[in-house]
Structures are given as structure tokens and as C-alpha cells.
Amino acid sequence: MLTIAIANQKGGVGKTTTAINMATAMAATGWRTLLIDLDPQGNASTGMGISSDAREVSSYDLLVDEVPLGEATLETDIPRLDIVPATVDLSGAEIELVSVDGRTDRLRNALADHDGHEICFIDCPPSLGLLTLNALCAADTLLVPLQCEFFALEGLSQLLQTVERIQQRFNPKLDIIGVALTMYDRRNRLTDQVADDVRDCLGKLVFDTVIPRNVRLSEAPSHGMPALIYDNNCVGSRAYMALARELIGRFPPTRQAA
């Protein structure tokens, strides 16, 4: 299973929107896909239509109580797409795991028991705490959504430094598969300037596809479904399908076909 963490310590950059739509796009193209909601806010779970009552076993149980992955996994309404939902209990996991041996490997150990999934996306919280650390230790690679605004650039260098430290201490195979520019607004000159600055700095690491600001992307979670299901013809949905194709093109040749 190819495991991709979707992380950025800054909030509001489109992590969850990217996670649920990329997972949906991969499932639509034939990949058996697993989405893990590792954010205590549980927005990815809500965005996939998973009610609070259905979250009897969650990513909290996976990390803290070491419940088997299969017991924490729920089917979604989308074929080939399963989810490990999150509850607010997850907010206490950071404290509960501090004194636990192997606290950075809880998620990696859990994912070793996956049930035939071919790709996994991990929706990380907007911080660089123990939850995100677990995700980065478990992941093969990292996808970074980056909002096209000035303040988003400030946190990028910190994230890159964190990845370097994790490579050195916990997960030498971790790399960054790409940076996805989100909330792109062509009417705003600052958006173009930020995009140009990021491409000058990171070069080919930045995906060609940009995710535009789009009302339908914002509306979809309130209906409990990804934008690709809510309105698969809106510009946001088409952008995520293009991003998924570009992402697959960056996989190793042995992983490019489901």
C-alpha cells in the first residue's frame, strides 16, 4: 500500500478538501483506497458523510488502544473507498501518547495490517505535533497543499525542516511527492506572485495543476460528500481529477496502475 500524508501546519490551506477529493479521484480510477482522518476536528469524516453515531471506533482507538485497522475502518458510499473516521477524542491522544513507548510508530504499526488497500491518504491536523509525526513516520511520501497567500509561504520552510529531521531520525524513506497550490484566484495579482515565488523556490516539486477557489468545493462538505460526487463538472472537481492524474504520473512505475 502506498501511503501519502497530506500535511501543512498552517490551517485553512485545503488539506481536508484535498484529502477527500484525491481519495475519491483515486477510487474512481480503480484504486482500492483508504482515507484516514487524523484531525480531531473530524472534517474529513463529515465531508465523506460519516455521521457522529457511526464513529464508534475511530483513529483515536487505532492510535491509543491499538485497535486493529479493520475494526476502525468504515465503508463509504463511494465504491473502493474506505475511511477511518476521527472523533474529538483524538484531541487527547497527543497527551496520552507522550509517555508511551514507540509513540511515533503507532500508526505505522496499524497500517501494516491493511486489508488489500492499494493507496492510503492521511488527513493531518494543522500542527506539527505527535499526530502529524505519526502520519509522517507511517507515510511513504508527503503531499503539501499550499494556499496562494503570503503567510502560507512562511510555514513552508518550517515544514521542510521537519521533514528533513524525520528523514534523519524516524523515516529515512519519507520524501515529498509534490506541493499543490490551492485557493488559486487569477483575479488576485498576489496569487500569481506567490505561485511564481513557490515555483522559483521548489521548481518541479510544485504540481502544474492548481486548485482554484470554487464555491462548489466549499459547498460539498455541507452535503456530506466530496466535490467530485457533489458536482463532478465544476472547475474544482476537474482540477482535482487533473491533480490525481499528475500525482499518479509521479508514482514509481510499479505503482502507476491499480
Side-chain angles (χ1 to χ4, degrees), residues 96-108:
E96 294 180 55
L97 291 174
V98 165
S99 59
V100 174
D101 290 336
R103 58 186 177 271
T104 62
D105 292 325
R106 287 298 183 101
L107 186 58
R108 175 159 47 191

Side-chain angles (χ1 to χ4, degrees), residues 71-107:
E71 293 184 20
T73 302
L74 299 175
E75 292 184 357
T76 71
D77 292 334
I78 299 168
R80 295 180 296 276
L81 177 54
D82 299 326
I83 186 171
V84 176
T87 64
V88 70
D89 293 341
L90 195 58
S91 59
E94 299 256 7
I95 298 172
E96 294 180 55
L97 291 174
V98 165
S99 59
V100 174
D101 290 336
R103 58 186 177 271
T104 62
D105 292 325
R106 287 298 183 101
L107 186 58

Side-chain angles (χ1 to χ4, degrees), residues 5-6 13 27 33 38 49 61 75 83 86 104 112 120 128 131 133-135 145-146 150 179 210 214 238:
I6 299 179
V13 300
T33 306
L38 214 60
D61 303 288
E75 292 184 357
I83 186 171
T104 62
C120 171
L128 293 177
L131 294 176
L133 183 58
N134 259 269
L146 185 70
F150 174 75
V179 174
V210 296
N214 181 234
R238 293 201 301 270

Side-chain angles (χ1 to χ4, degrees), residues 1 108 137-141 166-167 170-176:
M1 182 173 69
R108 175 159 47 191
C137 288
D140 297 300
T141 191
I166 289 173
Q167 288 170 330
F170 301 108
N171 185 4
K173 70 178 181 180
L174 180 68
D175 63 9
I176 300 177

Side-chain angles (χ1 to χ4, degrees), residues 107-130:
L107 186 58
R108 175 159 47 191
N109 295 339
L111 293 183
D113 190 33
H114 72 90
D115 183 25
H117 293 100
E118 295 161 309
I119 190 166
C120 171
F121 291 96
I122 307 171
D123 183 31
C124 298
S127 68
L128 293 177
L130 196 50

Side-chain angles (χ1 to χ4, degrees), residues 153-172:
L153 286 173
E154 292 190 325
L156 183 59
S157 60
Q158 183 182 353
L159 179 63
L160 296 177
Q161 291 170 7
T162 299
V163 170
E164 187 175 341
R165 288 196 294 269
I166 289 173
Q167 288 170 330
Q168 294 170 350
R169 296 187 55 191
F170 301 108
N171 185 4

